[in-house]
């Protein structure tokens, strides 16, 4: 707790700032030296300050290239007195995003690592392998410091496995959401060693699908170091992740203790494991893993899971075929009835999904999006009741008009079988796709089938008796309990993400879709009860009433999306960049210039809620796109342009920005190369963060450059993006581009723009930006900085 408070007391720790490069580094070194003095003779502690320079390309955020110079890593190696050949790595990062204290992301992990180093170093028992603690100083700059370490540091060669400590929220339980690749022994190590396990292969497959706009150092160690590992993150309260509210007082001591207990135990286990030295022998195979209500973790090889899944599906198909095809004289009749029920179930799901999504689109179009962001129950009352009501209505109508005068018991039976068929098909298909999450389908096939076989006699003799209902519910208990637990975890992660997913995605449609899917899953084995009960009228009226009342209240605007509640804030995120832009022609003459405050709202609502407070930010100042310039001539800090429509950002005219440390850009040389290529060499010096944007003209192509492996990687839309950062000081940035050009190119062969971003110090905020930020309501988190943008044609 003391380590955490002291790191966050330094303030925002942006890469290149004295706070990050000097104060945080000095504090870490002081603590490490104090720990070293107290350590026992069983251990040797070595400390190294690494300041790497490098470059790499990554397909995150649509694809871009990263270049870093003189950034900082603090590396500590704890090993036996006589040294160790193999090592396990523990990674945290002490830098933070601009304008935030970064307590959970990721100061708390660094505090935990210091305490683990302290505990291990005082032990009288030597470890079998070394433990390397990497306090990395540039993760928020899209994983630069970890790349510098794993590709350049001499200790990196000895690493056989790693644990990465991250955050996607503030406090709570830390979730294992990525492992591997392959190396099932690592998951087994966590299962055996962790005292308070919380892990899910479902979270892993969701994260690795790319639908969450985030990434961690795990990717760097996996892709550039070829090292397997475990990725953990705090996921609670993601509403204040990457905001000014991410303070140390919001992280409970229990949460720190829990994380420390788990990570210490796992590191100790790995550092004394024979498997670490021979990890390559155990590398093959994936693993299915999930925790049971946070009490313990079940883990088994994916190939065992595949066999179990196929056996379960086969038993279900055998049961269904036997039931439908006997007696043979009625097989055709039974098949017709069965596939009618099967089709009706699917039709009811499609109708439910379409209806609820129409409601969600309507809510978005009338400007009431995210009404549930602060009041989560609103989403359940609005979309959950609509989904349940529609589902019941479709089957009630089918029962009344299509299945008129049919035996209710027979209908109940056949709709159970239809649901079992759907789950069995889903199980077979998802297993065939190679997804480990298929274990969920196994639960939904095995337990209901078992329950059905146990109560078949009771049902056939007495129908839907009380005993039947109680035994049926008991049989469904395990899959329902697990599904509710999993759904809550998924909602806890995803709901806050909707507040930072850009202006392109309709958050209500995404959340409504989730709720419909969960309603379909939870109702799948209760559809048969619609046919067994005498009437669904009361249920339908109740659900419809709740839905209509909630819809009216949402439309009236009574549920404000954001909150400035001190104890539990849920702010709206807004980025403001006071920008001066200069556009030059082929002769180097400035043909256009302007300045303004460029404003981006990070969610679908844009600035509609801010306009009443700051009237000049309105729809008359929408940002125009400069078609001839890469990325529309706008100073994106990262290539997230695809997440924001141009109609959803604003450009408020403002005086020109005059940084005290302006950018210096010059052409060093233009060389004609073989095969009709032109090499352009440049020198740039400027602040710690810069963005380079490149657009080859029609007929030209960017064939190679001095970044990464030399192969240019285009961003979405076809332009090229290079993200640059440096530590406290750096020599001027030299780079070259090589382009193939057509014979005639009167309008040049390439447009190249460079933006300088001032994230700290005296150049960060202009008086006009300060004044504007002061007027923003207290339910916003508004992050502001100054920048310049220059476009050139060559």
């Amino acid at each position: 707790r003391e380590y955490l408070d002291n790191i966050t007391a330094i303030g925002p720790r942006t890469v290149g700032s004295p706070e990050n490069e000097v104060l945080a580094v000095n504090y870490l070194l002081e603590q490490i030296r104090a720990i070293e003095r107290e350590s026992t003779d069983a251990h040797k502690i070595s400390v190294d300050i690494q300041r790497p320079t490098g470059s790499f390309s990554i397909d995150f955020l649509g694809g871009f290239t990263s270049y870093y110079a003189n950034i900082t890593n603090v590396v500590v190696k704890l090993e036996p007195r006589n040294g160790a050949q193999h090592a396990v790595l523990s990674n945290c990062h002490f830098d933070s995003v601009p304008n935030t204290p970064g307590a959970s992301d990721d100061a708390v992990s660094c505090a935990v690592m210091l305490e683990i180093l302290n505990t291990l170093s005082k032990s009288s028992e030597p470890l079998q392998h070394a433990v390397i603690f990497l306090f990395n100083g540039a993760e928020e700059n899209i994983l630069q410091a970890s790349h510098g370490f794993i590709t350049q540091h001499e200790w990196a060669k000895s690493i056989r496995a790693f644990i990465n400590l991250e955050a996607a929220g503030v406090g709570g339980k830390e979730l294992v959401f990525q492992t591997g690749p392959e190396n099932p022994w690592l998951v087994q190590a966590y299962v055996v060693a962790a005292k308070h396990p919380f892990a899910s292969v479902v979270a892993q497959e969701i994260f690795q699908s790319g639908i969450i706009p985030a990434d961690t150092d795990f990717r760097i160690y996996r892709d550039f170091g070829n090292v397997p590992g475990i990725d953990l993150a705090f996921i609670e309260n993601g509403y204040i992740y990457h905001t000014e509210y991410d303070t140390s007082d919001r992280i409970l001591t229990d949460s720190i203790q829990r994380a420390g207990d788990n990570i210490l135990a796992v590191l100790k286990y790995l550092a004394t494991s024979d498997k670490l030295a021979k990890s390559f022998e155990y590398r093959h195979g994936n693993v299915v893993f999930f925790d049971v209500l946070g009490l313990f973790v079940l883990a088994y090889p994916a190939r065992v899971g595949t066999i179990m899944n196929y056996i379960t599906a086969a038993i279900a198909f055998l049961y269904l075929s036997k039931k439908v095809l006997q007696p043979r004289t009625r097989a055709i009749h039974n098949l017709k009835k069965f596939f009618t029920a099967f089709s009706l179930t699917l039709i009811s799901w499609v109708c439910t999904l379409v209806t609820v999504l129409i409601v969600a689109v309507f809510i978005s179009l009338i400007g009431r999006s995210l009404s549930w962001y602060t009041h989560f129950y609103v989403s359940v009352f609005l979309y959950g009741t609509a989904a349940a009501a529609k589902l019941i209505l479709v089957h009630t109508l089918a029962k009344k008009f299509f299945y008129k005068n049919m035996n209710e018991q027979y209908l109940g039976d056949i709709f159970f079988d239809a649901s079992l068929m759907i789950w069995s098909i889903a199980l077979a298909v998802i297993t065939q796709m190679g997804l480990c999450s298929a274990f969920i389908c196994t639960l939904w096939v095995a337990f209901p089938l078992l329950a059905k076989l146990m109560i078949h006699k009771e049902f056939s003799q007495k129908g839907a008796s009380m005993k039947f209902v109680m035994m049926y519910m008991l049989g469904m208990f395990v899959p329902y309990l697990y599904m509710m637990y999993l759904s809550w975890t998924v909602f806890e992660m995803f709901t806050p993400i909707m507040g930072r997913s850009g202006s392109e995605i309709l958050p209500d449609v995404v959340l409504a879709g989730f709720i419909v899917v969960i309603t379909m899953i939870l109702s799948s084995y209760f559809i048969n009860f619609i046919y067994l009960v005498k009437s669904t009228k009361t249920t339908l009226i109740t659900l419809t009433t709740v839905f209509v009342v909630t819809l009216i209240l949402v439309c009236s605007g009574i549920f404000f999306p954001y909150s400035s509640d001190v104890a539990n804030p849920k702010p709206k995120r807004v980025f403001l960049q006071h920008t001066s832009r200069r556009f030059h022609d082929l002769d180097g003459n400035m043909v256009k210039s302007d300045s303004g405050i460029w404003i981006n709202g990070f969610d679908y609502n844009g600035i509609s809620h801010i306009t009443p407070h700051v009237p000049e930010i309105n729809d008359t100042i929408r940002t125009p796109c400069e078609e001839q310039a890469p990325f529309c001539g706008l100073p994106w800090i990262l290539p997230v342009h695809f997440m924001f429509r141009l109609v959803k950002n604003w450009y408020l005219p403002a005086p020109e920005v005059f940084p005290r440390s302006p950018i210096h850009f010059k052409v060093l040389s233009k060389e004609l190369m073989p095969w009709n290529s032109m090499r352009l060499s440049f020198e740039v010096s400027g602040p710690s963060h810069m963005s380079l944007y490149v657009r080859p003209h029609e007929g030209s192509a960017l064939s190679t450059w001095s970044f990464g492996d030399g192969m240019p990687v285009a961003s979405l839309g076809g332009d090229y993006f290079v993200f640059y950062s440096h530590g406290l000081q750096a020599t001027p940035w030299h780079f070259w581009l090589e382009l193939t050009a057509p014979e005639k190119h009167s309008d040049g062969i390439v447009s190249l723009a460079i933006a300088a971003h001032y994230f700290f110090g005296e150049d960060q905020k202009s008086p006009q930006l300060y004044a504007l930020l002061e007027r923003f309501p207290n339910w916003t988190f508004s992050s502001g900085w100054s920048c310049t943008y220059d476009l050139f044609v060559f």
Side-chain angles (χ1 to χ4, degrees):
R1 167 63 75 182
E2 192 181 324
Y3 292 143
L4 172 62
D5 290 342
N6 290 338
I7 294 169
T8 52
I10 294 167
R13 300 169 303 284
T14 312
V15 172
S17 68
E19 289 80 5
N20 191 66
E21 310 301 326
V22 179
L23 299 179
V25 170
N26 287 349
Y27 176 75
L28 289 169
L29 290 174
E30 278 170 29
Q31 304 314 308
I32 292 160
R33 285 183 188 123
I35 291 166
E36 193 177 3
R37 286 194 294 272
E38 299 281 313
S39 67
T40 63
D41 292 337
H43 310 282
K44 183 169 79 175
I45 294 178
S46 313
V47 186
D48 185 46
I49 305 294
Q50 185 202 19
R51 294 212 159 85
T53 295
S55 177
F56 62 97
S57 293
I58 190 168
D59 62 3
F60 179 52
L61 296 176
F64 69 97
T65 299
S66 189
Y67 183 96
Y68 54 89
N70 204 36
I71 55 174
T72 308
N73 280 322
V74 178
V75 199
V76 185
K77 180 155 73 168
L78 178 77
E79 59 186 333
R81 270 280 158 215
N82 55 355
Q85 191 182 347
H86 308 285
V88 59
L89 171 72
S90 182
N91 176 76
C92 72
H93 66 91
F94 58 85
D95 66 312
S96 70
V97 292
N99 304 314
T100 72
S104 73
D105 188 24
D106 193 32
V108 67
S109 298
C110 291
V112 165
M113 271 172 46
L114 282 171
E115 189 56 44
I116 289 170
L117 174 62
N118 186 31
T119 305
L120 289 175
S121 69
K122 285 180 177 172
S123 166
S124 55
E125 293 174 39
L127 299 168
Q128 189 178 334
H129 309 294
V131 180
I132 295 171
F133 296 87
L134 172 59
F135 300 88
N136 96 49
E139 189 272 351
E140 297 297 357
N141 279 16
I142 315 298
L143 324 177
Q144 291 178 335
S146 55
H147 182 269
F149 172 77
I150 204 70
T151 59
Q152 297 175 42
H153 201 282
E154 59 176 336
W155 294 347
K157 297 181 191 76
S158 65
I159 294 166
R160 301 289 169 263
F162 68 89
I163 296 179
N164 182 47
L165 316 181
E166 255 300 344
V170 178
K173 297 191 286 187
E174 78 293 346
L175 170 71
V176 172
F177 67 99
Q178 283 193 102
T179 65
E182 299 198 278
N183 287 272
W185 67 277
L186 268 175
V187 177
Q188 294 295 350
Y190 177 82
V191 170
V192 171
K195 293 185 178 180
H196 319 283
F198 184 38
S200 174
V201 74
V202 180
Q204 173 170 297
E205 290 180 342
I206 288 172
F207 190 82
Q208 291 181 350
S209 71
I211 60 173
I212 296 176
D215 219 329
T216 75
D217 288 321
F218 181 97
R219 170 200 278 259
I220 299 295
Y221 299 132
R222 179 194 68 196
D223 296 354
F224 293 94
N226 200 24
V227 182
I230 299 172
D231 213 357
L232 301 105
F234 294 102
I235 61 164
E236 202 172 274
N237 200 3
Y239 298 98
I240 56 176
Y241 163 77
H242 279 189
T243 72
E244 63 193 338
Y245 301 106
D246 183 10
T247 51
S248 61
D249 58 302
R250 294 185 190 276
I251 301 172
L252 298 177
T253 304
D254 286 354
S255 189
I256 304 171
Q257 184 65 51
R258 187 198 140 87
D261 286 346
N262 280 344
I263 296 153
L264 172 62
V266 176
L267 275 176
K268 207 168 180 178
Y269 183 91
L270 291 172
T272 53
S273 165
D274 292 332
K275 285 184 178 176
L276 188 80
K278 297 178 279 189
S279 59
F280 60 91
E281 291 179 18
Y282 306 98
R283 70 182 183 276
H284 292 300
N286 287 316
V287 66
V288 179
F289 60 93
F290 56 94
D291 70 287
V292 179
L293 308 180
L295 302 172
F296 59 91
V297 170
L298 281 177
Y300 49 89
R303 61 180 180 275
V304 173
T306 300
I307 294 164
M308 282 166 47
N309 294 348
Y310 281 135
I311 289 171
T312 306
I315 291 168
F317 286 133
L318 196 69
Y319 161 83
L320 290 167
S321 58
K322 194 178 174 187
K323 200 164 172 198
V324 172
L325 301 175
Q326 285 184 350
R328 286 191 177 182
T329 51
R330 291 181 59 82
I332 302 295
H333 174 77
N334 288 347
L335 268 173
K336 277 183 182 174
K337 291 291 179 195
F338 176 73
F339 281 108
T340 304
F342 180 82
S343 305
L344 256 171
T345 303
L346 292 179
I347 288 165
S348 70
W349 286 358
V350 171
C351 288
T352 302
L353 184 64
V354 170
T355 304
V356 176
L357 291 185
I358 287 169
V359 174
V361 170
F362 169 73
I363 293 293
S364 304
L365 292 176
I366 63 165
R368 296 294 180 218
S369 195
L370 292 164
S371 297
W372 38 265
Y373 192 64
T374 293
H375 325 271
F376 184 72
Y377 60 88
V378 173
S379 65
V380 179
F381 288 169
L382 185 64
Y383 301 124
T385 55
K390 184 68 180 183
L391 207 57
I392 294 168
L393 179 65
V394 172
H395 287 285
T396 302
L397 292 172
K399 180 185 172 184
K400 191 173 180 182
F401 298 108
F402 189 74
Y403 290 119
K404 217 171 183 180
N405 305 322
M406 271 194 81
N407 183 297
E408 289 171 350
Q409 214 167 312
Y410 175 75
L411 287 174
D413 206 31
I414 206 159
F415 273 95
F416 173 91
D417 293 345
S419 294
L420 183 64
M421 181 71 167
I422 290 167
W423 277 112
S424 302
I425 291 169
L427 173 58
V429 170
I430 294 170
T431 304
Q432 181 61 35
M433 289 165 68
L435 294 175
C436 294
S437 301
F439 79 88
I440 297 169
C441 298
T442 304
L443 295 178
W444 284 98
V445 173
F447 282 92
L449 181 57
L450 204 62
K452 186 76 196 303
L453 293 171
M454 284 167 63
I455 58 178
H456 178 69
K457 195 176 175 185
E458 171 76 21
F459 183 62
S460 56
Q461 288 176 357
K462 299 177 185 175
S465 64
M466 197 60 187
K467 186 182 175 185
F468 161 79
V469 173
M470 293 306 290
M471 287 176 75
Y472 190 86
M473 300 288 272
L474 201 64
M476 300 294 172
F477 181 74
V478 171
Y480 270 84
L481 185 65
Y482 185 75
M483 198 64 214
M484 298 287 276
Y485 172 69
L486 184 66
S487 301
W488 180 250
T489 306
V490 170
F491 276 122
E492 192 171 39
M493 282 177 71
F494 266 90
T495 309
I497 288 170
M498 293 295 100
R500 57 177 192 270
S501 56
S503 64
E504 293 288 285
I505 296 168
L506 278 69
D508 276 66
V509 169
V510 175
L511 192 73
F514 265 134
I515 290 172
V516 170
V517 169
I518 286 161
T519 305
M520 291 187 320
I521 291 169
L522 295 178
S523 68
S524 55
Y525 287 107
F526 281 96
I527 287 170
N528 51 332
F529 277 90
I530 298 167
Y531 295 90
L532 290 170
V533 296
K534 284 187 168 62
S535 171
T536 55
K537 194 175 177 182
T538 311
T539 311
L540 271 174
I541 289 168
T542 307
L543 288 169
T544 308
T545 305
V546 173
F547 165 69
V548 170
V549 170
T550 310
L551 182 64
I552 291 165
L553 291 172
V554 166
C555 293
S556 71
I558 196 166
F559 299 114
F560 190 70
Y562 314 105
S563 167
S564 58
D565 177 33
V566 176
N568 193 17
K570 289 174 181 172
K572 176 181 177 62
R573 296 160 191 260
V574 189
F575 278 22
L576 298 94
Q577 293 170 240
H578 190 168
T579 306
S580 283
R581 301 190 299 173
R582 292 177 290 269
F583 299 84
H584 303 82
D585 64 13
L586 192 54
D587 301 320
N589 303 315
M590 189 165 69
V591 289
K592 182 186 172 183
S593 67
D594 63 28
S595 359
I597 297 174
W598 183 41
I599 302 159
N600 278 293
F602 252 53
D603 62 49
Y604 184 76
N605 284 330
I607 47 93
S608 55
H609 293 90
I610 292 168
T611 303
H613 300 266
V614 191
E616 61 266 41
I617 301 175
N618 56 55
D619 286 346
T620 64
I621 57 159
R622 291 277 171 95
T623 315
C625 176
E626 300 291 339
E627 299 289 350
Q628 84 287 1
F631 295 93
C632 278
L634 295 166
W636 295 102
I637 180 65
L638 286 168
V640 291
H641 53 292
F642 62 93
M643 293 170 65
F644 300 88
R645 281 197 304 270
L646 278 175
V647 293
K648 286 229 174 166
N649 33 109
W650 294 262
Y651 198 63
L652 180 68
E656 193 175 344
V657 176
F658 294 103
R660 291 168 184 81
S661 313
I663 193 169
H664 294 287
F665 179 90
K666 66 180 178 186
V667 183
L668 294 179
S669 65
K670 295 181 187 178
E671 300 172 68
L672 197 57
M673 308 295 285
W675 311 108
N676 211 24
S677 288
M678 176 70 79
R679 178 177 286 192
L680 303 169
S681 300
F682 304 95
E683 180 185 284
V684 185
S685 56
S688 64
H689 291 72
M690 293 185 279
S691 310
L692 176 72
Y693 321 93
V694 181
R695 176 185 289 178
H697 291 186
E698 198 173 341
S700 303
L702 182 59
S703 54
T704 182
W705 58 6
S706 56
F707 304 119
D709 61 3
M711 278 294 294
V713 173
S715 292
L716 285 178
D719 294 334
Y720 296 85
F721 188 104
V722 181
F723 177 87
Y724 168 90
S725 78
H726 70 66
L728 199 61
Q729 288 161 335
T731 55
W733 179 25
H734 291 105
F735 63 91
W736 53 261
L737 315 172
E738 204 168 293
L739 297 110
T740 53
E743 288 297 326
K744 292 177 181 175
H745 42 261
S746 55
D747 61 343
I749 60 170
V750 64
S751 292
L752 185 146
I754 188 138
H757 303 271
Y758 297 88
F759 278 127
F760 54 85
E762 54 188 8
D763 287 332
Q764 184 185 1
K765 290 175 187 170
S766 64
Q768 293 81 11
L769 186 56
Y770 261 120
L772 186 64
L773 289 168
E774 286 294 310
R775 294 170 59 200
F776 269 63
N778 59 1
W779 41 261
T780 60
F781 166 66
S782 41
S783 184
W785 68 93
S786 297
C787 57
T788 60
Y789 176 98
D790 289 277
L791 176 80
F792 304 94
V793 181
F794 299 102

